Structure formats: structure tokens, C-alpha cells
Amino acid sequence: MIKKWKQLTLVASLVVLWNVYPIQAVQAEQLKVSGNTLHEWNNGAKVDASVDNKGSIQIKTSTLGLKKGYYSAYVYELLNRDWSSYGALTFSIRNESDRKLPLNIVLTRADKTSLTVSDDRNVIVVEKLTGQAELVRPVSGLIALEPGFVGQIRIPFSSLMVQDKGSTAGQVNLGKVIGWGITTTTPENAKLSFRIGNIKPLSKKQAVVENGLTTLQMTGDERVVKPVAGESIAQYGVESSSEEKPNVKFQLDTPVQGVSITPDGLLTLHTDVDAEQATIRALVNDKWNLTTTVMLDRSSAMNVQEKDGTPRSIPDPSEVTKVLSPADPLMKTSVGWFIRLLLTAAGIHGLVLYWMWRRQRNTQGARKRRSRDDRQARRPFRM
């Protein structure tokens, strides 16, 4: 009886635990990469790739001694896989170079078409040190990672396009994939060294959030003029092709003297700004980060001149004659009326003086005429 009671208690406990703890999603299985399936390609660069016992790939490229130009290197794995149930690819990466690491991913389907990340779509870059998830777009087909970067890259498949066909972004289906790889492009006399590992394709269900972020982008002016007087303002926002409107909060990535931005994206430049640029960060849904760098230009009005060479720039406030404010004594209503009365009295006084002067002049003229008439009357009669 006791044994049966213990069995019932154990079953009940298991049922409770089953209901309390949610079923965890099945973790994506790491791709097993081996040196036998790994291949290299280049158009002049030296490439060296190797796989360690943990499945991490060490890649080194060099363009030392090559003529001026740009050179590509491609390290890829040839292995047939069905990727139709996957929605993203994630891998860890360490940039061991002393320069930026420019890269992209290439997936080759069974129909021999190559897929890569579009310049108009985001990938997710998570730096291990900060844990911040940055939404980053390739520039000229390349994602740039800073020297010493250590973290993770997530490639949502809604960011992929058929190579060199941007209009196909977000519309491709993977299906059977015969190979995937990492490509880099560097100028002459450059060396790269980086390691990638923990390579996992994520199911469509696991990657649904990431795929909803690929079209997010920040809107606003890329250049703003520094004010000579007053303020310069510019409005920034975040747009997405998704119907769901994201929750966005703006801030400066690092403080800049004379520059401020409100949480709703209103950038303001004051006259004391001296920096050449400012980086704006938009926090989307309290998790995802979008950044853009705004160039701060000197006002061209400072260089405008008249034909004779006289500057037409806006004068400094210290150079402008002071304008009376309503608080000054001369701007009071009573003082104004007193000045008006004083001017009126002065005008009347002037008119009186003028009238008296004319009267005196007329009187003197009349006297002179009478005197002349008297003298003529006293003269003897002449024939």
C-alpha cells in the first residue's frame, strides 16, 4: 500500500512539474563542419582556412604585395542540406585583425543561384561585451565588424536576395542548399584573421522575431548645419514595412556638447556645438538598436560676401546694437506719452516763435514804408 502511495505521489509530482514548467523550444543543431567539405576561392588574395576539433573555422587572408585594387576571398562548405524549414542562420565570430572585417554570407541553392544579404535589409549583430543587439545593414554588400569584435551574427532569411538582384530581397525560398560560406573583400596590402563557430540554422518559428526586424530603418537628415545664431533642428524616426508600429526611444550614442535629442527623435543643435558628427541611437521595443551617424556641417552663410567683399554672414550677438526690451524705462507707456507731449510742446513753441518773428518783420516793413512816404511828402515840389 505504501509502495503504491509513493508511486501515485511521484506521478502527481511529475504532472505538476509538467504543467508548471513550459516546454522549451528544441535548440538548433550546430552544423558539423569538417576539413573534407571545406573549400577556398579567391581572385588573387591568399586564403588559408582550417577547422579545429570543435568545428570552428579559422580563416586568414592576405593581399600583401598585390597591385592596387580590391580582392575577394571565399571560404565555403559543399554539402547538400534541406533548409526549407529554417528561418535564419546564426554563428559566433571573433575578429582577430587589426582592421575592420568586411564580410557577407553566401548560400547556394540546388538551382545554382547564390543568395546573399541585401543592402536594404538588416542583420543582427550582438557584441559579447555589451550584449546589445544592433540592427546593421551591409554597405556595398559588406557588413563591417570593428577590430577585436567578439560576438554573434544572426542572418534572418528575409534579408536574403538573389545575388546582384536587390528586388528579390525578402522573397527568396531556400529549399535544397548545396553549400554555404563566408566572403570578404579587402584592398591591396591588407591582412585579415578571424574565427567563426557555433554555426546553427534556426527554425522559422525560432526566427520569427528576427525576420520581422529586417526592414526597420531610421529616417532623417544625414547632414545638419551648425547654427550661427539660434538653433538648428531635425526630426528622426523609424520606419518598417511591417504593419505593427514599433516602440522607439531616441538618444545620443555618446554625449556631444551643443547637441541634444528628445526621446521622440527631435535633434537640436545649439551655437556652442563644435563636433563634426554625432551618432543617434534608436532603441526599438526596449531590445533592438538602430544607429546612424549625422554629419554636422559649418554654415555656408559664414562665407557669403557682397560684390565688394563685405561679409554677409550673420553677426555675432555681441556685434549687434542692443535692442530695448519692454522692461527698459524708455519702453514704459508713461514715458512714451511724456515724450509725445514734450515733442508737441516743442512744436507749438516753434510755431509761436515763427509767428512772432513774422509779425515783427511785418511791423518793421510797415514802419519803413511810412517813413519813406513821409520823406517824399516833405520834398519841395518840382516841375
Side-chain angles (χ1 to χ4, degrees), residues 21 58 98 120 132 138 151 156 214 260-261 265 273 295 308-309 317 341 352:
Y21 293 98
Q58 178 74 50
D98 58 359
D120 296 328
Q132 289 185 340
T214 58
S260 62
I261 189 168
V273 60
M295 304 306 297
D308 61 357
L341 292 173
V352 170

Side-chain angles (χ1 to χ4, degrees), residues 309-321:
T310 304
R312 294 175 60 186
S313 59
I314 300 173
D316 185 86
S318 62
E319 301 173 354
V320 180
T321 303

Side-chain angles (χ1 to χ4, degrees), residues 150-163:
V150 178
Q152 185 186 67
I153 295 181
R154 305 177 198 170
I155 312 288
F157 289 163
S158 62
S159 289
L160 298 179
M161 68 173 184
V162 177
Q163 202 161 26

Side-chain angles (χ1 to χ4, degrees), residues 207-382:
V208 64
V209 175
E210 286 82 352
N211 279 285
L213 300 169
T214 58
T215 59
L216 282 175
Q217 64 174 340
M218 196 181 302
T219 60
D221 296 333
E222 296 179 356
R223 312 186 79 92
V224 180
V225 176
K226 301 176 185 178
V228 178
E231 298 175 340
S232 291
I233 60 173
Q235 183 66 53
Y236 292 84
V238 172
E239 291 183 351
S240 173
S241 63
S242 174
E243 295 181 358
E244 183 179 353
K245 187 176 181 180
N247 177 30
V248 183
K249 295 179 182 178
F250 289 89
Q251 63 184 32
L252 293 177
D253 191 42
T254 55
V256 179
Q257 181 178 345
V259 181
S260 62
I261 189 168
T262 61
D264 59 354
L266 184 63
L267 181 74
T268 303
L269 271 59
H270 305 277
T271 54
D272 59 339
V273 60
D274 189 47
E276 300 298 323
Q277 61 183 35
T279 300
I280 300 173
R281 178 177 297 276
L283 181 61
V284 181
N285 295 335
D286 296 322
K287 183 176 182 181
W288 314 99
N289 291 270
L290 274 171
T291 60
T292 188
T293 299
V294 180
M295 304 306 297
L296 309 180
D297 297 329
R298 189 171 182 267
S299 175
S300 59
M302 298 298 293
N303 302 322
V304 179
Q305 295 181 343
E306 301 286 359
K307 292 183 179 180
D308 61 357
T310 304
R312 294 175 60 186
S313 59
I314 300 173
D316 185 86
S318 62
E319 301 173 354
V320 180
T321 303
K322 183 180 179 182
V323 179
L324 294 177
S325 68
D328 292 318
L330 292 179
M331 296 299 293
K332 291 183 177 180
T333 304
S334 58
V335 174
W337 279 109
F338 175 77
I339 293 175
R340 292 188 185 96
L341 292 173
L342 185 63
L343 292 174
T344 302
I348 294 173
H349 181 68
L351 290 173
V352 170
L353 291 177
Y354 176 76
W355 177 77
M356 293 177 65
W357 172 78
R358 288 295 300 255
R359 182 180 180 184
Q360 184 179 7
R361 184 178 177 183
N362 292 336
T363 302
Q364 291 177 351
R367 289 176 180 176
K368 288 181 179 179
R369 285 193 299 271
R370 286 196 299 271
S371 176
R372 187 172 59 250
D373 294 342
D374 290 342
R375 287 195 300 269
Q376 291 178 353
R378 293 171 183 173
R379 291 176 183 174
F381 176 76
R382 295 178 181 180

Side-chain angles (χ1 to χ4, degrees), residues 134-150:
E134 300 280 348
L135 301 177
V136 178
R137 293 194 169 190
V139 177
S140 300
L142 296 169
I143 304 160
L145 302 179
E146 295 294 329
F149 175 88
V150 178

